[in-house]
Amino acid sequence: MNPSKRQFLGSAAALCLTPLVPAWAQSAQWPTRPVRIVVPYPPGGSSDIIARILAPRLAEVLKQTVVVENKPGANGNLGAGLVVQSAQEGHTVLLCDVGALAISPSVYTKLTFDPSKDLRAVGMLAYSPHVLAVHPDVKANTVQDLVELSKKERINFAVTAIGSAPHLAAVAVQQATGAQWEYVPYKGGSQAVTDTIGGQTQIIMNGLLATLPHIKSGKLRAIAISKSERMKLVPDIPTISEQGVKGFESGTWQGVMAPSNMTDPVAAQLQTLMAQIVTQPDVTAQLNEQGAEIVTKSPAELAQFFGSERARWAKVVASTDIRLD
């Protein structure tokens, strides 16, 4: 191991949990200017929530301004493309649902970038299962109730975007149950939630992190979650699996990607810092309370996960006619 790498690893190992002021964060050459976290969705979604928790804490440790910019469009691909284009300036990263990003190459026929080549993994932060929820006036309490209702009357199903992870999760449930609901696409989860609360749509599949507050307030009613087993946070919400779609699991995986030319030491530095932040007791408690589980992965582990998700959802897309320019 060369001296510089040994010094970096030794400094990382010496990180203190409270306060988060690692010595190498003050002396490292990166960052040399403000850091930009691009969230490729509208404000209020799962990725945006986590980015805004991270930003001020990263700024304090890095001694640099850290800003969050929402760049929604094309199911996250617009923001991802902007990050790819920022490769030369070296201080812009992407915080997104990495599962959704892995879906894009199968859905979009004219992507301006290849996520596997033009972006590199930095680190995973959290996982939030999808929750299947309805407007309170919908006369259904189970997945089977929804399936039967969809065969009798029109039901509008809000999806964060055509080809998004929640959309494909809903399609997988539809294929398994024979449901006949109609999909209504949005440009992000927050507006999809708003319209379901308002009754313009009747069903939604969305990340629990961004949806649970509305379930707790009674504005939405949960039907099922997409974990293999029930969550301790919401033990009364049954899983989709136990309601007939055996083994079904999906969710939003919040992680950070960067332009492919980000160096390994910088990626490792940033991943270590973010992992330290999200595992702080107050941050963990805040995210857990809203329905997210802390799941950290190294750059190598996230890269492996991204590859497996890309292969997994390519099979689902291949069984549908979902294709976008």
Side-chain angles (χ1 to χ4, degrees):
M1 181 182 294
N2 62 56
S4 62
K5 187 171 183 180
R6 184 181 300 110
Q7 181 180 10
F8 168 74
L9 292 176
S11 299
L15 280 171
C16 296
L17 289 179
T18 306
L20 286 171
V21 189
W24 56 259
Q26 300 177 24
S27 60
Q29 294 182 355
W30 187 94
T32 58
R33 54 178 164 172
V35 175
R36 179 170 58 150
I37 301 176
V38 172
V39 175
Y41 318 111
S46 300
S47 297
D48 183 67
I49 291 170
I50 292 178
R52 294 184 187 281
I53 290 173
L54 278 176
R57 292 168 173 82
L58 279 174
E60 180 180 358
V61 179
L62 295 174
K63 307 302 181 185
Q64 282 285 355
T65 300
V66 179
V67 297
V68 177
E69 292 187 13
N70 297 90
K71 299 291 184 181
N75 196 20
N77 294 317
L78 177 61
L82 290 175
V83 172
V84 170
Q85 293 169 15
S86 74
Q88 295 308 311
E89 56 91 355
H91 287 69
T92 297
V93 298
L94 179 74
L95 200 162
C96 67
D97 178 355
V98 293
L101 186 62
I103 291 169
S104 291
S106 298
V107 173
Y108 288 84
T109 59
K110 297 180 180 178
L111 272 184
T112 60
F113 64 97
D114 184 338
S116 297
K117 296 179 180 179
D118 298 324
L119 291 169
R120 65 157 297 156
V122 175
M124 186 78 82
L125 301 173
Y127 163 73
S128 177
H130 290 137
V131 59
L132 183 65
V134 298
H135 185 276
D137 289 345
V138 173
K139 295 178 173 58
N141 296 303
T142 66
V143 171
Q144 190 56 43
D145 287 346
L146 283 177
V147 172
E148 295 303 319
L149 188 63
S150 73
K151 296 177 181 179
K152 298 175 182 177
E153 58 186 69
R154 180 186 174 96
I155 294 182
N156 292 323
F157 197 124
V159 293
T160 55
I162 293 296
S164 64
H167 178 210
L168 292 187
V171 168
V173 172
Q174 181 182 23
Q175 291 176 340
T177 62
Q180 297 176 14
W181 42 60
E182 300 291 331
Y183 294 108
V184 179
Y186 289 86
K187 293 183 178 180
S190 57
Q191 189 58 49
V193 169
T194 297
D195 274 14
T196 307
I197 290 173
Q200 288 91 336
T201 51
Q202 290 74 51
I203 315 176
I204 188 170
M205 179 86 85
N206 197 41
L208 187 63
L209 175 60
T211 314
L212 186 58
H214 305 293
I215 293 171
K216 288 183 175 180
S217 69
K219 295 177 181 178
L220 294 173
R221 187 172 73 255
I223 298 294
I225 58 170
S226 61
K227 277 182 64 70
S228 57
E229 57 187 29
R230 296 195 186 198
M231 290 187 71
K232 292 182 180 179
L233 176 65
V234 284
D236 294 335
I237 303 178
T239 68
I240 292 174
S241 179
E242 70 184 81
Q243 295 189 64
V245 188
K246 299 298 183 183
F248 184 83
E249 188 165 8
S250 65
T252 62
W253 298 86
Q254 267 64 50
V256 173
M257 309 287 281
S260 58
N261 64 347
M262 175 177 278
T263 65
D264 289 344
V266 170
Q269 169 184 331
L270 187 54
Q271 188 275 334
T272 299
L273 250 185
M274 293 187 302
Q276 289 283 321
I277 291 172
V278 297
T279 53
Q280 285 283 290
D282 62 325
V283 176
T284 297
Q286 180 180 354
L287 292 174
N288 286 169
E289 181 62 24
Q290 296 183 73
E293 298 176 342
I294 303 304
V295 179
T296 60
K297 293 182 184 292
S298 69
E301 291 169 334
L302 177 54
Q304 183 178 15
F305 171 84
F306 185 87
S308 63
E309 283 293 280
R310 183 167 179 170
R312 173 194 178 191
W313 290 110
K315 294 179 181 179
V316 176
V317 173
S319 68
T320 71
D321 59 356
I322 300 172
R323 293 292 188 279
L324 298 172
D325 291 333

